[in-house]
Short mmCIF file of all heavy atoms in Angstrom, two decimals:
data_model
loop_
_atom_site.label_atom_id
_atom_site.label_comp_id
_atom_site.label_asym_id
_atom_site.label_seq_id
_atom_site.Cartn_x
_atom_site.Cartn_y
_atom_site.Cartn_z
N LYS A 15 -12.34 -12.73 3.10
CA LYS A 15 -13.01 -11.65 2.38
C LYS A 15 -14.45 -11.43 2.84
O LYS A 15 -14.99 -10.35 2.64
CB LYS A 15 -12.99 -11.93 0.87
CG LYS A 15 -11.65 -11.68 0.26
CD LYS A 15 -11.54 -12.11 -1.19
CE LYS A 15 -12.63 -11.65 -2.08
NZ LYS A 15 -12.41 -12.02 -3.51
N VAL A 16 -15.04 -12.41 3.45
CA VAL A 16 -16.42 -12.24 3.93
C VAL A 16 -16.50 -11.12 4.98
O VAL A 16 -17.54 -10.50 5.14
CB VAL A 16 -17.00 -13.57 4.46
CG1 VAL A 16 -16.51 -13.88 5.85
CG2 VAL A 16 -18.51 -13.56 4.41
N LEU A 17 -15.39 -10.82 5.64
CA LEU A 17 -15.37 -9.71 6.60
C LEU A 17 -15.57 -8.36 5.93
O LEU A 17 -15.82 -7.36 6.59
CB LEU A 17 -14.05 -9.71 7.38
CG LEU A 17 -13.89 -10.82 8.41
CD1 LEU A 17 -12.46 -10.89 8.91
CD2 LEU A 17 -14.87 -10.63 9.56
N LEU A 18 -15.48 -8.33 4.60
CA LEU A 18 -15.69 -7.09 3.85
C LEU A 18 -17.12 -6.95 3.32
O LEU A 18 -17.42 -6.02 2.60
CB LEU A 18 -14.69 -7.02 2.69
CG LEU A 18 -13.22 -7.12 3.08
CD1 LEU A 18 -12.34 -7.17 1.85
CD2 LEU A 18 -12.83 -5.97 3.99
N SER A 19 -17.96 -7.93 3.66
CA SER A 19 -19.34 -7.91 3.15
C SER A 19 -20.32 -7.97 4.32
O SER A 19 -19.93 -8.03 5.48
CB SER A 19 -19.55 -9.10 2.20
OG SER A 19 -19.40 -10.31 2.91
N LYS A 20 -21.62 -7.94 3.99
CA LYS A 20 -22.65 -8.05 5.02
C LYS A 20 -22.54 -9.40 5.69
O LYS A 20 -22.21 -10.37 5.03
CB LYS A 20 -24.04 -7.90 4.39
CG LYS A 20 -24.33 -6.50 3.92
CD LYS A 20 -25.73 -6.41 3.36
CE LYS A 20 -26.00 -5.02 2.86
NZ LYS A 20 -27.34 -4.87 2.31
N PRO A 21 -22.72 -9.49 6.95
CA PRO A 21 -23.14 -8.49 7.93
C PRO A 21 -21.98 -7.78 8.62
O PRO A 21 -22.18 -7.15 9.66
CB PRO A 21 -23.94 -9.32 8.92
CG PRO A 21 -23.22 -10.62 8.96
CD PRO A 21 -22.74 -10.83 7.53
N TYR A 22 -20.78 -7.86 8.06
CA TYR A 22 -19.59 -7.34 8.74
C TYR A 22 -19.11 -6.00 8.21
O TYR A 22 -18.13 -5.46 8.71
CB TYR A 22 -18.46 -8.37 8.66
CG TYR A 22 -18.88 -9.73 9.14
CD1 TYR A 22 -19.03 -10.78 8.25
CD2 TYR A 22 -19.17 -9.95 10.48
CE1 TYR A 22 -19.44 -12.04 8.69
CE2 TYR A 22 -19.60 -11.19 10.92
CZ TYR A 22 -19.72 -12.23 10.02
OH TYR A 22 -20.14 -13.46 10.45
N VAL A 23 -19.78 -5.46 7.20
CA VAL A 23 -19.35 -4.22 6.56
C VAL A 23 -19.13 -3.09 7.55
O VAL A 23 -18.18 -2.32 7.42
CB VAL A 23 -20.38 -3.84 5.47
CG1 VAL A 23 -20.46 -2.37 5.21
CG2 VAL A 23 -20.06 -4.56 4.20
N ASP A 24 -19.97 -2.98 8.56
CA ASP A 24 -19.89 -1.86 9.49
C ASP A 24 -18.92 -2.09 10.66
O ASP A 24 -18.75 -1.21 11.50
CB ASP A 24 -21.29 -1.54 10.04
CG ASP A 24 -21.86 -2.69 10.87
OD1 ASP A 24 -21.49 -3.85 10.63
OD2 ASP A 24 -22.69 -2.42 11.75
N MET A 25 -18.25 -3.22 10.69
CA MET A 25 -17.29 -3.49 11.76
C MET A 25 -16.05 -2.63 11.59
O MET A 25 -15.56 -2.47 10.48
CB MET A 25 -16.83 -4.96 11.73
CG MET A 25 -17.69 -5.92 12.47
SD MET A 25 -17.09 -7.63 12.30
CE MET A 25 -15.51 -7.55 13.12
N PRO A 26 -15.50 -2.10 12.67
CA PRO A 26 -14.23 -1.38 12.57
C PRO A 26 -13.13 -2.32 12.03
O PRO A 26 -13.11 -3.51 12.36
CB PRO A 26 -13.92 -0.97 14.01
CG PRO A 26 -15.24 -1.01 14.71
CD PRO A 26 -16.03 -2.10 14.04
N ILE A 27 -12.24 -1.77 11.23
CA ILE A 27 -11.18 -2.57 10.63
C ILE A 27 -10.30 -3.22 11.71
O ILE A 27 -9.82 -4.34 11.53
CB ILE A 27 -10.33 -1.76 9.62
CG1 ILE A 27 -9.42 -2.66 8.80
CG2 ILE A 27 -9.54 -0.68 10.32
CD1 ILE A 27 -10.13 -3.60 7.87
N GLU A 28 -10.12 -2.56 12.85
CA GLU A 28 -9.32 -3.15 13.92
C GLU A 28 -9.98 -4.42 14.47
O GLU A 28 -9.29 -5.36 14.85
CB GLU A 28 -9.02 -2.14 15.03
CG GLU A 28 -10.25 -1.66 15.76
CD GLU A 28 -9.96 -0.51 16.70
OE1 GLU A 28 -8.82 -0.02 16.78
OE2 GLU A 28 -10.92 -0.09 17.38
N ASP A 29 -11.31 -4.46 14.48
CA ASP A 29 -12.02 -5.66 14.93
C ASP A 29 -11.82 -6.79 13.92
O ASP A 29 -11.62 -7.95 14.29
CB ASP A 29 -13.50 -5.39 15.10
CG ASP A 29 -13.82 -4.43 16.24
OD1 ASP A 29 -12.88 -3.80 16.78
OD2 ASP A 29 -15.00 -4.29 16.57
N LYS A 30 -11.88 -6.44 12.64
CA LYS A 30 -11.68 -7.44 11.58
C LYS A 30 -10.27 -8.01 11.65
O LYS A 30 -10.07 -9.22 11.54
CB LYS A 30 -11.95 -6.82 10.21
CG LYS A 30 -13.39 -6.41 10.02
CD LYS A 30 -13.58 -5.69 8.69
CE LYS A 30 -15.00 -5.18 8.56
NZ LYS A 30 -15.25 -4.55 7.27
N LEU A 31 -9.29 -7.14 11.84
CA LEU A 31 -7.91 -7.60 11.94
C LEU A 31 -7.72 -8.46 13.18
O LEU A 31 -7.06 -9.51 13.13
CB LEU A 31 -6.95 -6.41 11.97
CG LEU A 31 -5.47 -6.74 12.08
CD1 LEU A 31 -5.02 -7.66 10.93
CD2 LEU A 31 -4.64 -5.45 12.10
N ALA A 32 -8.31 -8.05 14.30
CA ALA A 32 -8.20 -8.85 15.53
C ALA A 32 -8.81 -10.23 15.33
O ALA A 32 -8.24 -11.24 15.76
CB ALA A 32 -8.87 -8.13 16.70
N TYR A 33 -9.97 -10.29 14.66
CA TYR A 33 -10.59 -11.60 14.39
C TYR A 33 -9.66 -12.45 13.53
O TYR A 33 -9.46 -13.64 13.81
CB TYR A 33 -11.95 -11.44 13.70
CG TYR A 33 -12.56 -12.78 13.37
CD1 TYR A 33 -13.27 -13.48 14.34
CD2 TYR A 33 -12.37 -13.37 12.13
CE1 TYR A 33 -13.80 -14.74 14.06
CE2 TYR A 33 -12.89 -14.62 11.85
CZ TYR A 33 -13.60 -15.30 12.81
OH TYR A 33 -14.09 -16.56 12.52
N ALA A 34 -9.06 -11.85 12.50
CA ALA A 34 -8.13 -12.60 11.63
C ALA A 34 -6.94 -13.10 12.44
O ALA A 34 -6.47 -14.24 12.23
CB ALA A 34 -7.68 -11.72 10.46
N MET A 35 -6.44 -12.30 13.36
CA MET A 35 -5.31 -12.71 14.20
C MET A 35 -5.71 -13.88 15.11
O MET A 35 -4.94 -14.83 15.28
CB MET A 35 -4.82 -11.52 15.03
CG MET A 35 -4.18 -10.43 14.19
SD MET A 35 -4.01 -8.85 15.04
CE MET A 35 -2.89 -9.26 16.36
N LEU A 36 -6.90 -13.80 15.70
CA LEU A 36 -7.38 -14.88 16.56
C LEU A 36 -7.61 -16.16 15.76
O LEU A 36 -7.26 -17.26 16.22
CB LEU A 36 -8.66 -14.47 17.27
CG LEU A 36 -8.50 -13.38 18.33
CD1 LEU A 36 -9.86 -12.82 18.72
CD2 LEU A 36 -7.77 -13.92 19.54
N ALA A 37 -8.17 -16.04 14.57
CA ALA A 37 -8.39 -17.20 13.72
C ALA A 37 -7.07 -17.83 13.31
O ALA A 37 -6.94 -19.06 13.27
CB ALA A 37 -9.21 -16.81 12.49
N ASP A 38 -6.07 -17.00 13.04
CA ASP A 38 -4.73 -17.49 12.69
C ASP A 38 -4.13 -18.26 13.86
O ASP A 38 -3.58 -19.35 13.69
CB ASP A 38 -3.85 -16.32 12.29
CG ASP A 38 -2.49 -16.76 11.80
OD1 ASP A 38 -2.42 -17.43 10.75
OD2 ASP A 38 -1.49 -16.42 12.47
N ARG A 39 -4.24 -17.70 15.05
CA ARG A 39 -3.72 -18.37 16.25
C ARG A 39 -4.48 -19.67 16.51
O ARG A 39 -3.90 -20.66 16.96
CB ARG A 39 -3.83 -17.42 17.44
CG ARG A 39 -3.39 -17.95 18.77
CD ARG A 39 -1.89 -17.93 19.02
NE ARG A 39 -1.27 -16.65 18.96
CZ ARG A 39 -1.01 -15.87 20.01
NH1 ARG A 39 -1.38 -16.23 21.21
NH2 ARG A 39 -0.40 -14.73 19.84
N PHE A 40 -5.79 -19.68 16.20
CA PHE A 40 -6.60 -20.88 16.38
C PHE A 40 -6.09 -22.01 15.47
O PHE A 40 -6.02 -23.17 15.89
CB PHE A 40 -8.07 -20.58 16.08
CG PHE A 40 -8.99 -21.73 16.34
CD1 PHE A 40 -9.37 -22.05 17.63
CD2 PHE A 40 -9.46 -22.52 15.31
CE1 PHE A 40 -10.22 -23.12 17.90
CE2 PHE A 40 -10.31 -23.59 15.55
CZ PHE A 40 -10.69 -23.89 16.85
N LYS A 41 -5.72 -21.68 14.24
CA LYS A 41 -5.17 -22.70 13.33
C LYS A 41 -3.90 -23.31 13.92
O LYS A 41 -3.70 -24.52 13.84
CB LYS A 41 -4.87 -22.10 11.96
CG LYS A 41 -6.10 -21.80 11.16
CD LYS A 41 -5.73 -21.18 9.83
CE LYS A 41 -6.95 -20.68 9.11
NZ LYS A 41 -6.62 -19.95 7.90
N LEU A 42 -3.05 -22.47 14.51
CA LEU A 42 -1.84 -22.98 15.14
C LEU A 42 -2.18 -23.84 16.35
O LEU A 42 -1.59 -24.91 16.54
CB LEU A 42 -0.94 -21.82 15.56
CG LEU A 42 0.37 -22.19 16.25
CD1 LEU A 42 1.25 -23.03 15.34
CD2 LEU A 42 1.10 -20.93 16.70
N SER A 43 -3.15 -23.41 17.16
CA SER A 43 -3.58 -24.21 18.32
C SER A 43 -4.08 -25.57 17.88
O SER A 43 -3.79 -26.59 18.50
CB SER A 43 -4.68 -23.48 19.10
OG SER A 43 -4.19 -22.34 19.73
N ASN A 44 -4.85 -25.58 16.80
CA ASN A 44 -5.38 -26.84 16.27
C ASN A 44 -4.24 -27.75 15.80
O ASN A 44 -4.23 -28.95 16.10
CB ASN A 44 -6.35 -26.54 15.13
CG ASN A 44 -7.22 -27.73 14.79
OD1 ASN A 44 -7.52 -28.56 15.63
ND2 ASN A 44 -7.62 -27.80 13.54
N LYS A 45 -3.29 -27.17 15.09
CA LYS A 45 -2.14 -27.93 14.60
C LYS A 45 -1.31 -28.51 15.75
O LYS A 45 -0.85 -29.64 15.69
CB LYS A 45 -1.27 -27.03 13.73
CG LYS A 45 -0.07 -27.70 13.13
CD LYS A 45 0.72 -26.73 12.26
CE LYS A 45 1.95 -27.38 11.71
NZ LYS A 45 2.74 -26.45 10.89
N MET A 46 -1.16 -27.71 16.82
CA MET A 46 -0.36 -28.14 17.97
C MET A 46 -1.18 -28.90 19.01
O MET A 46 -0.67 -29.26 20.07
CB MET A 46 0.31 -26.92 18.63
CG MET A 46 1.16 -26.10 17.68
SD MET A 46 2.51 -27.01 16.96
CE MET A 46 3.61 -27.13 18.32
#
Side-chain angles (χ1 to χ4, degrees):
K15 284 173 50 175
V16 79
L17 288 168
L18 303 175
S19 64
K20 290 182 182 180
Y22 308 110
V23 152
D24 64 333
M25 274 177 64
I27 191 66
E28 64 189 3
D29 293 11
K30 295 175 185 184
L31 180 57
Y33 178 83
M35 292 164 63
L36 291 166
D38 185 65
R39 178 81 59 96
F40 185 77
K41 287 179 189 173
L42 180 61
S43 291
N44 196 29
K45 181 179 177 181
M46 303 300 286

